């Protein structure tokens, strides 16, 4: 869809001709997004094509672009590194400008003493981590890995990672934002707006965390965040990570103050018990159920092959038939990875003792082969930097995370067997999915700061190049919803994915049955204020007046 | 192969953007995390491996056409292969570099050739070099050296100087230094002199595959006639062409050695002694074609198969080029063996090295892009505190020298073989 040349020229005047494009092939490179094939008509790999893509370099340019969009009624969709369909335009036939923030890539400041960094949107977690580690500090890298924008996870989408357990969720670690509202105003949040610098998202000054962020985030539906301040955590390792060995399985030597383990447990009850004890005793720096993304049946065959630079998938197939490998699969069937890091060697020794005591109590054990030096060093590298998260797609280039409901350990232990049985059933019914056993549940040790509350997603691997496989995955999404409903479990991630393909009315109809619809009405009010021309997309959810349960705000 | 053969790669691209960065485990700073010169220059996603896969898909599906912008995004890429390493860090079913090469070749076949390339191709076709120099001057560097002329005589080893070392006045001494070392080691070798021809590797990476085929046929025929079993070259571009491209496209089985491999072996065998001190602090730039793209060729002719229902494997197993087995240690061993030399590493090394900017025909086609890419490497080299940047490829060295002329750095630009000669 075309928008007037006047609008194009107005934006061109702001950023220069070399920083705007409406070349169809260029636009397709933004429309093409992972997961689109599960929700778009005809299983197309493309989300709706933006009308133009623009590369601003400053907040002022972003603001000016927003103003042009207001003048001409063009939707605004920001993108940082762009690893998800959320970053693309959501609806066909809605003229949208994609604001690619890659030129805004500076670390503005690192306040070592107050443990705060201020960054622009195209600073990746890997870059920021590398810089702050030199100062004995670290950041919580989200489960999507270090390729992602720290502003994206802090300001606008989710924010949990393997280290959230120790370092907090990025929605909480957000200490202030510079926000260009869809209406074109620049809003500073928290202490920043009182000229007190970037140290507190809640004030002095307006605390807008609940407005701009919330649990899920507005996913590009409420304007553009041009800077954010992020809380840093202590780091007691080397100033610079020095990986060893050839690709792909780089290894990070384990210093004396650090331990890296894969821990197995005999049952889901024992898992919950072990988790709670670790949480209660406040040990651990990183907690993740990582390698199970390959599926419990195949994980040892895959990862032990991955250690070899010349290993191939054919080797994985051969290894998977080895009885020793099957034994190892059973040993690590319900397992997770934990990294202990002490401020001193004595401290890590103490954590080690506590962990031993917990394992003795709950029947947990160290999975021998995965705790050997080569694998432990590989695990160390993988989890400290999270630079191999593209392995989520290792089987065939497509995976969809179903389930992922978070809760206390008892909640997770109860839904995990349901998720496993359902996935196993779907694998048996169709060869459209990678047959990796029913348990491909993977997830961070915490979905909120400090732990105690977490969830797992099922790694449903499908081939995006095979329509039948894509459709098998879509069927699994609906099956997972049915499994949830049948077992009284709230719906998981597949549900919010499927919504992308729905018309507004269908979404609103579902929203209107939510337990606290006033939240969605409150968000409508926010939208009316900050986005009067509705230039943000529906990733910022709201309900039209009068829909849903009447309550104090619905009718106003 | 045809572009359609890469449809699966495109469909399975996740848009993860790993191809824009060095392997993340190796990131040591904000500044030197960047891995792809093309996206740094072009900025839009289309200037990345992932972006080009979508371009290919979009063109194949008729969603878009080849515009000047598309041409620019396809050709403004040094074909350095960093993206390939970073993508394969987590994937066994992707070949982004091969897909980009196919996209270029397809555009060229369809007549989309940047205007700047025409005179260079003309020179290749008539003068057998891409530097637009008279063919008759090719062997001048060796005139007084009394080397065997393999267009008339026989030897099992041919020393191939390559276009740059043959014609570039600033770099010709490297060819001379190389043959001096080979002589000192007592090797029976010769040169093709005036009859030496461009390897054609650059033409291939620019998308002009037929031109490489013509050059390859010329070279392979001449070598066969002279009884050649081994090619030795100090040029990493030629090395890659002979070792990987001739092997894959022409079925060549000739042994190919870079001078650094020979020198490293001679040092190990005690047949070469470096005795003179070279009091310099140097850093080493891994040429893409010697490093991550310098892995041994493994012949493969197979098909995709599914295992575990949907996971991708190949029948037979497909060789994996992920930069693990490039030539990294030989040059480092040499530098460490030079008395008085202090060797320091940059942040982006080996399979994670930042390209010099010259590859993929960019030196010829997009000189500004080539220089700005070189600037970024020189900046990184300077940050180590080195006095000199050493490399093992004349194309890198030429580009660094040119960037320095524009004030990029005060670093000395040295060839590793010239350094060895100094230490003899
Ligand atoms: C494989 C995979 C695994 C994941 N696992 C996790 C996980 O474990 N934990 C977790 O928290 N998240 C996870 N995510 C989601 C992730 O948090 C988001 O995709 C996101 O933060 C990634 O960063 P990005 O730079 O790619 O953001 P993008 O994809 O560029 O953007 C993400 C969203 O934020 C919006 N946005 C981006 N930048 C801005 C900006 N400057 N201003 C306003 N809006 C903006 C976009 O429009 C989009 O809706 C996962 C994603 C993937 C692809
Ligand atoms: S080419 Fe590879 S690294 Fe690049 S976006 Fe696609 S899958 Fe990711
Ligand atoms: S070959 Fe090099 S310049 Fe080209 S896309 Fe890959 S990393 Fe970028």
């Amino acid at each position: 869809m075309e928008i007037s040349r006047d609008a194009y020229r107005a934006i061109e005047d702001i950023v220069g001709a070399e920083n705007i494009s409406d070349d169809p092939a260029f636009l397709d490179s933004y429309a093409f997004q992972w997961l689109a094939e599960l929700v778009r008509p005809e299983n197309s790999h493309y989300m709706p094509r933006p009308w133009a893509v623009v590369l601003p370099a400053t907040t002022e340019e972003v603001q000016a672009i927003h103003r042009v969009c207001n003048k001409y009624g063009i939707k605004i969709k920001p993108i940082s590194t762009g690893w998800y369909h959320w970053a693309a335009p959501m609806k066909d036939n809605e003229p949208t400008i994609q604001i690619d923030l890659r030129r805004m890539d500076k670390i503005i400041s690192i306040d070592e003493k107050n443990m705060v960094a201020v960054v622009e949107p195209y600073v990746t977690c890997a870059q920021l981590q590398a810089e702050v580690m030199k100062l004995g500090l670290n950041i919580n890298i989200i489960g999507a890995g270090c390729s992602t924008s720290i502003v994206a996870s802090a300001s606008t989408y989710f924010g949990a990672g393997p280290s959230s357990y120790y370092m907090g969720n990025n929605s909480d670690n957000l200490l202030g934002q510079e926000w260009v509202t869809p209406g074109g105003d620049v809003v500073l949040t928290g202490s920043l707006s009182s000229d007190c610098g970037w140290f507190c998202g809640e004030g002095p000054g307006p605390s807008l965390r609940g407005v701009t962020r919330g649990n899920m985030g507005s996913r590009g539906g409420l304007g553009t965040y041009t800077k954010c301040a992020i809380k840093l955590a202590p780091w007691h390792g080397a100033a610079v990570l020095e990986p060893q060995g050839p690709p792909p399985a780089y290894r990070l030597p384990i210093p004396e103050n650090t331990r890296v383990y894969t821990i197995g447990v005999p049952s889901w009850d024992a898992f919950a018990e072990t988790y709670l004890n670790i949480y209660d005793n406040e040990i651990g720096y990183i907690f993740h159920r990582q390698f199970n993304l390959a599926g419990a049946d195949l994980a040892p065959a895959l990862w032990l092959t991955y250690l070899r630079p010349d290993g191939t998938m054919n080797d994985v197939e051969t290894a998977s038939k080895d009885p020793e490998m099957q034994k190892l699969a059973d040993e690590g069937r319900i397992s997770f990875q934990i990294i202990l890091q002490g401020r001193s060697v004595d401290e890590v020794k103490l954590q080690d003792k506590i962990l031993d005591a917990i394992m003795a109590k709950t029947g947990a054990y160290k999975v021998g082969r995965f705790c050997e030096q080569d694998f432990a060093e590989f695990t160390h590298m993988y989890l400290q930097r999270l630079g191999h998260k593209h392995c989520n797609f290792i089987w065939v280039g497509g995976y969809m995370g179903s389930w992922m409901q978070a809760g206390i350990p008892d909640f997770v232990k109860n839904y995990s067997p349901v998720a496993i049985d359902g996935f196993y059933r779907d694998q048996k019914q169709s060869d459209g999915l990678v047959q990796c056993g029913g348990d491909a549940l993977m997830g961070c040790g915490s979905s909120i700061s400090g732990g105690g509350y977490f969830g797992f997603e099922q790694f449903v691997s499908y081939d995006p190049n095979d329509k039948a496989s894509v459709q098998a995955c879509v069927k699994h999404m609906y099956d997972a919803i049915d499994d949830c409903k049948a077992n009284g479990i709230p719906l998981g991630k597949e549900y919010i994915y499927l919504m992308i393909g729905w018309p507004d009315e269908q979404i609103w109809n579902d929203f209107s049955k939510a337990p606290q619809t006033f939240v969605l009405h409150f968000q409508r009010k926010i939208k009316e204020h900050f986005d009067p021309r509705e230039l943000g997309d529906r990733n910022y959810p709201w309900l039209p007046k009068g829909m849903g349960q009447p309550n104090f705000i619905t009718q106003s | 192969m045809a572009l359609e053969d890469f449809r699966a790669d495109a469909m399975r691209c996740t848009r993860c953007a790993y191809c824009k960065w060095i392997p993340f485990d190796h990131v040591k700073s904000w500044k030197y995390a960047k891995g792809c010169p093309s996206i740094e220059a072009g900025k839009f996603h289309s200037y990345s491996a992932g972006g080009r896969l979508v371009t290919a898909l979009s063109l194949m599906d008729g969603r878009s056409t080849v515009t000047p912008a598309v041409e620019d995004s396809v050709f403004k890429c040094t074909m350095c292969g960093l993206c390939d390493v970073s993508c394969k860090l987590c994937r066994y079913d992707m070949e982004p570099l091969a897909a980009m090469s196919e996209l270029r070749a397809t555009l060229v076949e369809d007549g989309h050739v940047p205007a700047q390339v025409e005179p260079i191709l003309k020179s290749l076709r008539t003068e057998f070099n891409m530097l637009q120099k008279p063919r008759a001057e090719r062997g001048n560097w060796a005139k007084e050296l009394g080397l065997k002329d393999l267009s008339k005589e026989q030897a099992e080893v041919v020393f191939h100087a390559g276009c740059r070392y043959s014609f570039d006045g600033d770099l010709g001494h490297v060819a001379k230094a190389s043959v001096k070392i080979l002589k000192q080691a007592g090797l029976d070798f010769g040169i093709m002199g005036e009859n030496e021809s461009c390897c054609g590797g650059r033409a291939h990476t620019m998308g002009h595959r037929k031109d490489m085929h013509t050059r390859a046929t010329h070279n392979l025929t001449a070598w066969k006639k002279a009884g050649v079993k081994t090619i030795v070259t100090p040029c990493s571009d030629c090395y890659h062409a002979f070792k990987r491209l001739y092997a894959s496209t022409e079925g060549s089985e000739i042994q190919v050695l870079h001078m650094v491999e020979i020198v490293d072996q001679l040092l190990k065998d005690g047949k070469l002694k470096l005795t003179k001190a070279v009091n310099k602090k140097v850093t080493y730039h891994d040429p893409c074609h010697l490093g991550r793209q310098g892995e041994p060729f493994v012949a493969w002719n197979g098909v995709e198969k599914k295992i575990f229902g949907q996971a991708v494997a190949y029948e037979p197993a497909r060789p994996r080029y992920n930069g693990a087995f490039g030539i990294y240690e030989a040059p480092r061993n040499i530098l460490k063996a030079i008395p008085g030399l202090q060797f320091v590493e940059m942040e982006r090394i080996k399979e994670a090295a930042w390209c010099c900017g010259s590859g993929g025909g960019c030196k010829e086609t997009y000189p500004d892009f080539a220089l700005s890419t070189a600037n970024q490497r020189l900046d990184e080299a300077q940050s180590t505190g080195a006095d000199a940047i050493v490399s093992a490829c004349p194309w890198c060295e030429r580009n660094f020298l040119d960037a320095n002329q524009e004030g990029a750095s005060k670093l000395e630009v040295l060839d590793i073989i010239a350094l060895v000669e100094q230490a003899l």
Side-chain angles (χ1 to χ4, degrees):
Chain A
M1 169 152 215
E2 286 234 350
I3 301 183
S4 79
R5 296 321 288 171
D6 286 351
Y8 190 93
R9 271 192 291 273
I11 297 177
E12 195 176 66
D13 286 346
I14 297 164
V15 292
E18 70 281 16
N19 291 311
I20 180 166
S21 174
D22 61 356
D23 187 280
F26 280 34
L27 300 180
D28 268 355
S29 78
Y30 291 86
F32 183 92
Q33 282 286 356
W34 163 57
L35 281 185
E37 63 275 9
L38 299 177
V39 296
R40 295 283 292 156
E42 309 285 320
N43 304 112
S44 165
H45 277 56
Y46 297 92
M47 294 295 286
R49 199 190 251 175
W51 165 73
V53 54
V54 58
L55 295 149
T58 62
T59 304
E60 292 70 32
E61 287 185 5
V62 172
Q63 183 179 30
I65 294 164
H66 280 211
R67 288 191 168 151
V68 172
C69 289
N70 273 274
K71 183 171 170 195
Y72 292 94
I74 305 165
K75 291 247 178 203
I76 296 159
K77 195 67 200 257
I79 183 168
S80 286
T81 78
W83 198 12
Y84 227 153
H85 52 192
W86 302 120
M90 286 287 132
K91 282 200 220 167
D92 293 302
N93 307 321
E94 269 187 352
T96 305
I97 291 270
Q98 185 94 60
I99 303 186
D100 180 345
L101 293 152
R102 75 162 288 120
R103 289 175 73 213
M104 298 184 70
D105 65 351
K106 311 287 177 307
I107 297 175
I108 306 291
S109 62
I110 299 173
D111 180 345
E112 182 182 351
K113 200 165 138 221
N114 293 303
M115 297 168 73
V116 184
V118 179
V119 290
E120 292 185 331
Y122 207 79
V123 174
T124 60
C125 293
Q127 289 172 295
L128 185 60
Q129 186 190 54
E131 292 299 339
V132 300
M133 275 183 166
K134 292 172 190 164
L135 305 170
L137 297 166
N138 205 349
I139 53 162
N140 171 54
I141 299 180
I142 58 166
C146 67
S147 64
T148 57
S149 149
I150 191 87
V151 169
S153 65
S155 281
T156 173
Y157 189 39
F158 205 31
S163 56
S164 292
Y165 175 81
Y166 179 84
M167 302 180 204
N169 187 301
N170 286 347
S171 57
D172 300 332
N173 292 337
L174 179 67
L175 298 181
Q177 290 162 294
E178 181 181 79
W179 171 31
V180 183
T181 68
D185 295 319
V186 177
V187 174
L188 306 177
T189 73
S191 52
L192 185 67
S193 66
S194 298
D195 254 357
C196 299
W198 301 88
F199 72 92
C200 179
E202 313 301 352
S207 164
L208 293 175
R209 196 202 301 269
V211 167
T212 61
R213 196 30 262 234
N215 174 46
M216 185 81 157
S218 56
R219 287 164 290 154
L222 202 63
T224 307
Y225 303 102
T226 43
K227 288 186 191 79
C228 88
I230 190 88
K231 187 161 94 187
L232 306 173
W235 162 248
H236 307 294
V240 175
L241 301 185
E242 297 283 1
Q244 310 291 310
Y250 296 117
R251 289 152 54 167
L252 187 63
I254 300 167
E256 267 195 293
N257 69 338
T258 303
R259 304 283 185 273
V260 181
Y261 299 127
T262 292
I263 308 277
V265 287
S267 65
W268 284 105
D269 282 334
F271 179 85
E273 196 56 22
T274 307
Y275 180 98
L276 275 173
N277 273 278
I278 289 172
Y279 168 65
D280 279 348
N281 283 284
E282 297 184 0
I283 58 166
Y285 193 74
I286 282 177
F287 189 123
H288 203 41
R289 191 171 195 231
Q290 174 62 72
F291 298 119
N292 203 56
L293 70 89
D297 285 358
L298 299 179
L302 175 71
W303 296 113
L304 293 175
T305 303
Y306 188 80
L307 286 191
R308 291 175 24 216
D310 59 348
T312 66
M313 277 292 169
N314 301 55
D315 298 326
V316 180
E317 188 185 23
T318 309
S320 69
K321 292 176 187 147
D322 178 348
E324 281 305 306
M325 213 57 82
Q326 289 166 5
K327 248 200 261 167
L328 191 51
D330 285 336
E331 193 186 340
R333 189 155 295 279
I334 308 181
S335 60
F336 62 91
Q337 283 68 43
I338 187 165
I339 297 182
L340 312 177
Q341 188 186 72
R343 275 160 291 188
S344 62
V345 176
D346 283 346
E347 188 190 328
V348 85
K349 281 185 181 159
L350 176 64
Q351 290 193 35
D352 226 358
K353 268 194 192 161
I354 294 169
L355 184 63
D356 283 344
I358 293 170
M359 291 196 298
K361 191 167 123 188
T362 64
Y365 51 88
K366 291 177 186 153
V367 181
R369 176 65 188 93
F370 282 10
C371 292
E372 284 174 20
Q373 188 182 350
D374 59 347
F375 202 87
E377 288 185 353
F378 162 60
T379 306
H380 192 213
M381 185 76 254
Y382 203 115
L383 293 178
Q384 292 290 12
R385 178 51 57 87
L386 290 185
H388 294 248
K389 280 290 179 169
H390 190 202
C391 283
N392 287 10
F393 301 83
I394 196 162
W395 287 129
V396 53
Y399 100 92
M400 188 276 310
S402 58
W403 296 79
M404 189 61 213
Q405 295 86 330
I408 57 169
D410 278 350
F411 170 72
V412 178
K413 93 175 180 200
N414 287 335
Y415 84 62
S416 294
V418 181
I420 291 168
D421 289 348
F423 187 27
Y424 192 61
R425 174 202 61 221
D426 287 356
Q427 286 178 28
K428 291 296 125 203
Q429 279 173 5
S430 148
D431 60 5
L433 305 175
V434 171
Q435 313 279 311
C436 59
D439 179 4
L441 290 170
M442 181 266 223
C444 315
S446 180
S447 307
I448 55 167
S449 299
Y453 182 95
F454 68 106
F456 290 136
E457 63 183 300
Q458 271 288 22
F459 267 58
V460 183
S461 296
Y462 65 93
D463 183 356
N465 188 40
D466 176 342
K467 219 168 190 172
S469 180
V470 171
Q471 284 166 357
C473 185
V474 175
K475 179 180 174 299
H476 168 80
M477 293 164 88
Y478 284 104
D479 288 350
I481 289 175
D482 289 345
D483 288 339
C484 288
K485 286 182 178 162
N487 289 280
I489 299 166
L491 306 187
K493 265 210 309 194
E494 63 285 336
Y495 174 65
I496 58 165
Y497 291 155
L498 286 169
M499 270 188 178
I500 291 180
W502 295 358
D504 285 343
E505 292 67 27
Q506 191 178 350
I507 295 175
W508 288 332
N509 190 40
D510 263 35
F511 280 175
S512 67
K513 293 173 198 141
Q516 303 197 61
T517 49
F518 75 89
V519 174
L520 293 156
H521 289 289
F522 181 60
Q523 292 193 170
R524 187 189 72 245
K525 295 250 150 217
I526 291 168
K527 188 165 175 74
E528 280 165 4
H529 182 79
F530 289 110
D531 185 10
R533 293 209 60 187
E534 277 197 40
L535 303 185
D537 66 24
R538 65 187 191 184
N539 281 350
Y540 186 75
W542 53 278
L543 259 180
K545 249 186 191 174
M547 283 191 82
Q549 300 299 312
N551 57 41
F552 70 96
I553 207 161
T554 316
Q555 308 307 330
S556 61
Chain B
M1 296 287 271
L3 198 52
E4 195 56 45
D5 295 327
F6 292 94
R7 177 177 285 275
D9 297 62
M11 297 282 271
R12 293 176 184 145
C13 165
T14 70
R15 210 189 184 286
C16 67
Y18 275 46
C19 46
K20 295 171 185 168
W21 306 92
I22 63 168
F24 287 111
D25 294 350
H26 283 281
V27 170
K28 295 183 170 62
S29 67
W30 171 84
K31 197 171 187 185
Y32 303 126
K34 294 158 191 175
C36 168
S38 182
I39 189 79
E40 289 311 309
K43 299 184 289 269
F44 293 104
H45 183 63
S46 300
Y47 289 84
S48 68
R52 288 188 192 95
L53 286 174
V54 184
T55 298
L57 198 61
S58 179
L59 292 173
M60 283 189 283
D61 290 343
R63 290 174 58 101
S64 55
T65 53
V66 181
T67 58
V70 168
E71 265 184 29
D72 195 68
S73 71
V74 170
F75 291 109
K76 199 180 274 176
C77 153
T78 62
M79 300 296 276
C80 69
L82 183 283
C83 50
D84 210 59
V85 169
S86 289
C87 181
K88 289 175 182 167
L89 208 58
C90 303
R91 297 291 295 276
Y92 291 80
D93 53 353
M94 297 287 291
E95 293 291 344
L97 185 61
M100 293 194 301
S101 169
E102 201 61 45
L103 179 59
R104 278 187 172 198
T106 306
L107 258 62
V108 166
E109 287 262 299
D110 293 346
H112 301 284
V113 179
Q116 314 85 294
V117 177
E118 288 300 343
I120 297 157
L121 285 177
K122 191 167 164 233
S123 163
L124 180 66
R125 288 165 191 163
T126 57
E127 303 304 320
F128 298 179
N129 71 79
M130 296 186 84
L131 301 182
Q132 301 175 63
K133 300 281 184 188
R135 189 178 162 187
E137 290 174 15
R138 187 162 190 122
N140 285 0
W141 66 272
K143 273 233 162 96
E144 315 297 326
L145 302 179
L147 302 173
K148 248 190 195 178
D149 179 353
L150 297 192
S151 56
K152 300 185 190 95
E153 297 169 76
Q154 296 267 309
E156 290 202 349
V157 177
V158 65
F159 174 79
H160 179 95
C163 301
R164 266 272 158 230
Y165 287 129
S166 296
F167 293 112
D168 189 322
D170 292 332
L171 299 169
H173 64 283
V174 176
K176 286 188 187 160
S178 299
V179 296
K180 185 170 155 191
I181 292 166
L182 295 179
K183 272 186 178 172
Q184 200 163 321
L187 223 73
D188 177 26
F189 71 99
I191 59 168
M192 285 292 171
E194 194 182 314
N195 289 316
E196 185 183 285
S197 157
C198 173
C199 62
R202 288 183 81 75
H204 187 278
T205 57
M206 291 159 83
H208 300 273
R209 293 181 174 179
K210 283 185 192 143
D211 283 295
M212 189 191 81
H213 174 67
T214 313
R215 293 298 95 229
T217 309
H218 172 108
N219 284 328
L220 289 166
T221 310
W223 294 333
K224 195 170 173 197
K225 224 168 112 192
V228 168
K229 295 207 169 62
T230 302
I231 309 158
V232 175
T233 180
C235 170
S236 295
D237 249 26
C238 300
Y239 177 77
H240 172 256
F242 300 148
K243 187 174 173 184
R244 291 281 293 274
L245 300 177
Y246 282 23
S248 61
T249 64
E250 311 293 327
S252 163
E253 288 178 355
I254 276 186
Q255 185 189 27
V256 183
L257 293 171
H258 191 282
M259 272 303 294
V260 293
E261 293 175 283
I262 301 250
V263 172
D264 183 37
Q265 197 55 50
L266 291 172
L267 288 171
K268 279 184 185 140
D269 296 346
K271 291 187 181 160
L272 195 69
K273 295 243 175 329
L274 305 180
T275 48
K276 269 196 219 148
V278 180
N279 294 315
K280 287 184 198 298
K281 187 173 175 183
V282 307
T283 190
Y284 177 71
H285 166 78
D286 289 278
C288 306
H289 284 141
L290 181 66
R292 58 184 160 244
Q293 292 196 55
E295 295 180 295
F297 173 75
V298 183
W300 182 75
N301 185 9
V303 290
E304 180 181 306
K305 69 168 184 179
K306 290 283 178 78
I307 57 172
F308 313 130
Q310 286 296 334
V312 177
Y314 300 89
E315 191 56 55
R318 188 164 81 172
R320 190 152 155 75
Y321 301 107
N322 61 354
F325 301 103
I327 308 295
Y328 306 120
E329 295 313 322
R332 287 172 171 78
N333 292 341
I334 295 169
L335 292 174
K336 286 173 194 161
I338 297 177
L341 198 87
Q342 201 188 334
F343 172 51
V344 283
E345 290 277 22
M346 289 184 269
E347 285 188 16
R348 294 174 289 190
I349 58 168
K350 302 182 181 176
E351 70 272 15
W354 176 259
C355 172
C356 75
S358 184
C362 290
K363 180 83 186 138
E364 298 88 343
T365 320
Y366 300 103
D368 291 346
F369 165 51
L371 288 181
S372 71
T373 304
N375 279 347
Q376 293 174 62
R377 191 54 161 171
L378 290 167
D379 176 76
E380 184 179 357
Q382 272 195 141
S383 75
T384 64
D387 320 312
I389 183 165
V390 178
S391 193
C393 178
W395 292 91
C396 307
E397 290 153 19
R398 179 73 267 159
N399 208 31
F400 291 147
L401 288 167
D402 291 347
N404 273 350
Q405 269 191 353
E406 307 229 322
S409 83
K410 294 204 165 20
L411 288 171
E412 211 180 335
V413 177
L414 296 171
D415 185 281
I416 191 162
I417 300 304
L419 258 185
V420 169
E421 191 195 20
Q422 282 182 39
L424 282 176

